Structure formats: C-alpha cells, structure tokens
Amino acid sequence: MTQYAEVILPLPLYNTYTYAVPPTMDGQVKIGSRVLVQFGRKKYYTAIVRMLHNVAPEGYEVKELMSLLDEGSLLRHPQLKLWEWIAEYYLCPIGDVYKAAVPSGLKIESETYVSVNPEFEETDVCELKERERVIYDLVSCRDRVQLGEITRSTGFRNVEATVSRMLEKEAIFISEKVVDTYRPKSETFVTLTVKQGDNDGLHGLFDLIGRSKKQEQLLLAYIDLSHWLQRPERLVEVKKSMLLERADVTQPVLTAAIKKGIFKIYKKEINRYAFSAEVHADLPVLTDEQNRALRQTLELFRTKPAVLLHGVTSSGKTSVYMHLIDQMLRLKKQVLYLVPEIALTTQLTQRMHRVFGDRMIIYHSKFSDNERVDAWKKLSHSNEPCLIIGVRSAVFLPFCNLGLVIIDEEHDTSYKQQEPAPRYNGRNVAMMLAMMHGAKSLLGSATPAVETYYKAVTGKFGLVEMPVRYEGIEMPKVEVVDIKDARRRHEMNGFFSARLLSVCRESLQNGEQVILFQNRRGYAPMVTCRQCGWVPKCENCDVSLTYHKHVNNLSCHYCGYSISLPTVCPACGQPTIEIVGYGTERVEDNITELFPDNKIARMDLDTTRNKNSYEKIIDDFSERKSDILVGTQMVSKGLDFAGVSTVGILNADTMINFPDFLAHERAFNMMEQVAGRAGRAGKQGRVLIQTYDTENPVIKYVVAHDYKGFYAEEVEERQRYGYPPFVKIINIYLKHRDDAVVGEMAVRMSNMMRQVFKQRVLGPEAPIVKRIQNWYIRQIVLKMENTASMNKVKQILRLIYENMLKVDSRMKSTLLYFDVDPM
C-alpha cells in the first residue's frame, strides 16, 4: 500500500501538501523528516513531514518525494507541536513558522538561473530591445547568471518582466539549480605513518629526519601532543595548527616531513559547538537577599509554572540565575536563557563562560548561517545538559530534556517579532515551550510588563521581589531639568542643559564615565528649507528622510531609500537647507566638541551592524577606553558598567508623547532601565532627565523609582478603557498599491467583522505611517475577551477574508496579515 506524506513548505501557506512516499523510502520517512519536493513546475524546496497516512488524495495526480535529506527526524518533540501552536495563536501560516524556525542552511531550495540560447538569432520579429540586449550581453559573458545578480549588475527594476519577454523570444533559457547553503566546518589533523606501539617504526621515522632539527622538533611535538608513548592510553588527535604552534615551525617544514613519509594529514568535519566540562571560575557567592530570592523561587516552582523575579536594577538577578542554571545542569537538564538584544549576550556570555565553560551555546542572528546550523545539529544529536543563551529565535532550537527557561528583561519590546511573519512574542512562546517540556519559566525584570506583573499579583505566576541593590548601594538620584526654563535663562548649549554638562564634567574629572541616552539614531530626524518649508520625503514611504552626516545622505529608516543632502532647496532654489532636531550621531558630534579631551563612543543600529561591533564597543567602554557612551535604547538593556556614575536622558518627551496605549509603559521602562546603568559599583549614581513637561506623572514615578505606583495607575486606566491585560488585542492590517482600493477593502472588511464581533471592532484607520515601500496601509483593531478561543477567531477572520475574495476580485491583490498582542 502506498504511503503518503503531508508536508510543510517554507512558504506563506496555511495548509500542508500531499506527496507519495516512493518504495525506495519505505520505512525511512518519519514525522519531522526533511524531504526535497517539487512544488510547481520547476521549483524545489525542503519540506518537513507533518503527517504520514495511507489515504490517497482524489482529483489530482500526486507527486513523489524526490529525496530524503536526513536519517531520522530534523525535529525533536515537541517542536512540531510548538509550530502548530504559534500558527494558531498568532494567526499565521505554518509555512511562515517553519521558514522562521529553521536556519537557511537546512532549507535547500532551487534558485533561478538565466543562460543564453546559443542558437538564438535576432530577426525583425525577434529584435532585442535596449534593456534586453544589456541583459543578453551580461549573460553571454558567463555560463549562467542568477536573477538577483542581473538586478544588481544592471540596476534595472522589474528584471523578471524583461526576462519573461526574452523567454518568449527564445533568446535565453531558465534553469533551476538546487542549492545547499550549509558549509560544515572542518579541521586538518596530522598523524604519523606508523601505528601507536610500533617502536621500531618510530625509530625509522627519526632516521628519515636526518639532520633536520626543525623536523625533529615537529616529530617530538607530535609525540607529546598525541600521547603516543603513553600506552595503553588512546591516541589523541592532533590539529595541524596546534602542532605547528607547539613545534614553533612553519608549514613548509611539515610539508617536507610529509614528503619523506613521516606524517600524513586528513580532514575531519567538526561541530562549532563541542561541549566540555571545563570550568574557569566558581559560582558567585550569594548575599542574604539573593539567597532569600533563590529559596523563594525554588519554593514557588513547586506550585507555579512560572515565577516573576522583580528585582531593581543592579540587585544581582544574574547571580540568582547562575545558581538555578547550575542546579539544572547537575540534574542533567538543559537551560534556555533568553535575552532581548544581541548587545546583552556580549557581557553575559563572558560571565557565564567563566563559570559553565563550553557547556554553553550562543544563538543569535549575527552568527553566520553555518554557525546556526552547527548549533542546531549539536542540540538535535545530543542529550547532554547545556546552557543555551540566545535572542527570541532560540525558542525554535531542538531542545531535549529542557528543565528551565529564563527570560531576562522580560518587559523588552525586542522579544516581539514585527516583520516578517510569524509576528510572535519570544517571551510568550518561550513560556509555552517550557510548558510543553514540563519545564519551569523564570521571568526577570526591574520594570516588568504590566501584563506580566498583573499575572503575578493575581496569582497566576509566582512573585519574588528583590527591592534592594547589591551590597545595599543606593538607587541613583534622579534630577529633572526643565528645558523650557533652561532656554528662557539661556542655559542650553545645543541639546544640553548647563546642569547636565556640569554634572558630566564633574564625573569625568573624577575619573568616572557617562552615558547619554537619545532614542533616535542618525544625525537629525528632519531636514527642511527655512525659506519655503520644503521637507525631503521618501519616495516609497510617507515619512521624512533622516540625515546621516558620516555618509552625507538622507535615508529612510523603513525601506532604505537614500539621496544625497542637497546644497540648495530643490523647491525654491535657495541655499537655505536647515538640519532640525538631533539623533545619536549629532549628539556624538556635539559632545565631542564640548569634551575634546575625552574619548566618545556611540552604540546604535548604525554602529553595530557587524558581527563583533557590539562586543568591541561594550568591551572598550568596560575597560575605560572610552569615557562617554552615546546610545539609543541599546544602552538601557541590562548592561553592567562599573565606572558609570552619570546618565543623561536628553529628551524624555519624545518617548512619552506617542499615540499608543503602551507609550507610558515603554517610556517608564526605558528611563528606569537606562537610569539603572548609573552607580552600580559602590557609589550612588546620578541621572538627569531633560524634559519640557516636568509635571508628567511618568517622570515623577521614575524620579521616585516607584514601579508599583506606576503600575497601579497604569492598570487602573487600562481597565477603565478596555486594554490588556483585561482584553486581547488583534491588529488586522491591509496593504495595497492603490490607496483608494485599500481604503475600500478595509471599510468592507470592518463592516463584515462588526456583523460578528459587534462593538469589539475599531477602525479602519490609517496608521501613523500610511505608506511603506509603496504599499498603502489600513489598520483594524479587534478587542477580544481573554477567554475567547483564538482558533475560532482565526476561523471567523479567515471565512470573512474568503467571502471578500468572492465578492471583490481586488481583494486578491490586497495583502492581509494579523498582529496578535502588539507591542
């Protein structure tokens, strides 16, 4: 009887597709296996087997699986179950979940190549146009060229349409090549040409050396490294690089010895993540306060699936985490330690590695795809206890015997995936992962998310408080600077008040460090003409362009569109171009002028694009190689700098005055977190907040370091107006190239939704940025009771969408997606 496989494709598809299992694969294909399948006429993808059955599909011819890529399953229980939960809860195709979950190196795909037809001849009927001739000449120079390479080489847009016309003229051919992007890491090893124990053979090798002292050094070094003489001990493999270093010789010496028949070399594939029990430091000694928190956490884990560790900044939460990790490793269990940003992993991994050695794996997007594949393979083939530190994507790794999930800085918005789908929250997915493994979740923060703290105080989660800083250090003193009053008194120097500059100068003179926080990157957020008011806008998005001085251009932070800064206004022709506002780049420039004798560093998205750039900036600041660190919210995320005594928040109003129910929570968290970077080592720090609105309640709570007061006011307001944690919010977005069409589709969809969901539907309305990458956007908000079934909501929304497709064909060209629990 023929067996059939339901497979998941790495495409935005809600359903599985059925393929026949060929007789040659009988008994080998398993649920979770990677298989290569043909999808469409010429495309090939790596699919994941979701289900096996013997029911033949009706109405169409079933294709066979092309090949089985692994022995056994790529996935471990309960990964597939987690994927299905994410697809259901976040209202997205399971194909999108698969695409996000598995590294590219494990997803072999076909790529479209173009090659010329050697028999093509131009005629009056088949004459090539100018663009076609450029492409034809480019491809003629090579065997075959990828479509993407044609776009890059020619600069042409919509290359696909031109290639399609050339296909009709039979000037070119299209072919598909299956590409495996994974490249395993290999090491070169050296061994002797005689077997261990053959002493006569060994003496013969020394005779071959003759008078070459360097070759003799090489042979002696090998004998030492390999433990060749220590029988019956197993021979240790010797890396070529290690041998050359120990013998202090160069490659030509080894080459000569190989030619004499003394050595032979071989290559071996190795995993980039090899475990060892090597430990470099002891666990930190806990204070009485930390010991109390550890005991309470363990006690609550007996009855609660999750515990919130609410500890003020610098209270020593990481030390508590380390003791919990150590307990889990001793119990032979794995631990997942999630952090919101790659920046946090830099300091954290150094500290963790000293204690846990190479039992630690790091996983984040700055790693190459090959490194991510190796991490995946190591975990999928190992049951060894280990610590995995990673950002939100680490929840997709193939864990085994997971015992604990730690979610550090659980309030952070970086845990929420925005683009592309699935738009999941890494914190919530990690907790579901823990539950599926029967593991416990520990959420840590000095400023917990309002929803998380609500669950803790209402008893759903356990709650442990750490209200005192490590060794009793006082919380930083927060001072508010009134920008309006400072300007009236002529006490502002650019963006800096005289008071802020005075405190910074005093700290630097005392050999201390300063952090300046401005949550906007670039040189300036806007450029305008003083004469006519012209403002440069992105041609693809409804936003003004941001000026970046170091490249002297204006760029869009949504789509990447950029132009050079004009010297004269293109609207009125006058040389009256003015730079308005300030971002981190401009702050860095100005503070460098004000403190010319001090070393300034900047940490934002522009300075941390490379793999090791975070580490370099953080290490330099930690080692006092820089005195002032200017940064965006990256500098607020749990970093520990012993030398920082002063923190300056340059403009609190840009965070608070934002049209979003989460604006006050985000502003409080960000200011309290960045304030926590000050005074972490023995001396009370100082924080200065510059604002136009000194009476704002959010700022008052930051001054008092009063999280509970802020929470009480915020949760009361959300209950009054119906916002989370009292309801669940789903944002529905519609996009179309035509503004009128998307407006009409959004109105129609919202009306159909109101027939079912009644007053729970708000909108439609255009978001703050109405157009991005030439797609016009409308937003509909759906507020649902927490008890509502997401599966039923998904079915209803899907049915409404299908009905709209039947009613209006323009809906086919409208993009629709959902954002569940937006942040």
Side-chain angles (χ1 to χ4, degrees), residues 720-745:
R720 187 185 311 134
Y721 295 108
Y723 282 101
F726 304 100
V727 299
K728 188 174 295 296
I729 287 183
I730 303 171
N731 286 339
I732 297 101
Y733 291 96
L734 294 92
K735 293 184 177 182
H736 198 280
R737 298 289 187 185
D738 188 309
D739 191 26
V741 170
V742 75
E744 189 179 335
M745 294 297 102

Side-chain angles (χ1 to χ4, degrees), residues 752-761 782-784 792-793 796-797 800:
M752 293 176 75
M753 287 173 61
R754 282 191 179 90
Q755 292 175 17
V756 181
F757 298 111
K758 309 300 180 185
Q759 75 282 357
R760 300 176 183 88
V761 180
L782 178 61
K783 288 185 175 182
M784 294 300 302
K792 288 183 179 178
V793 170
I796 293 168
L797 292 172
I800 290 171

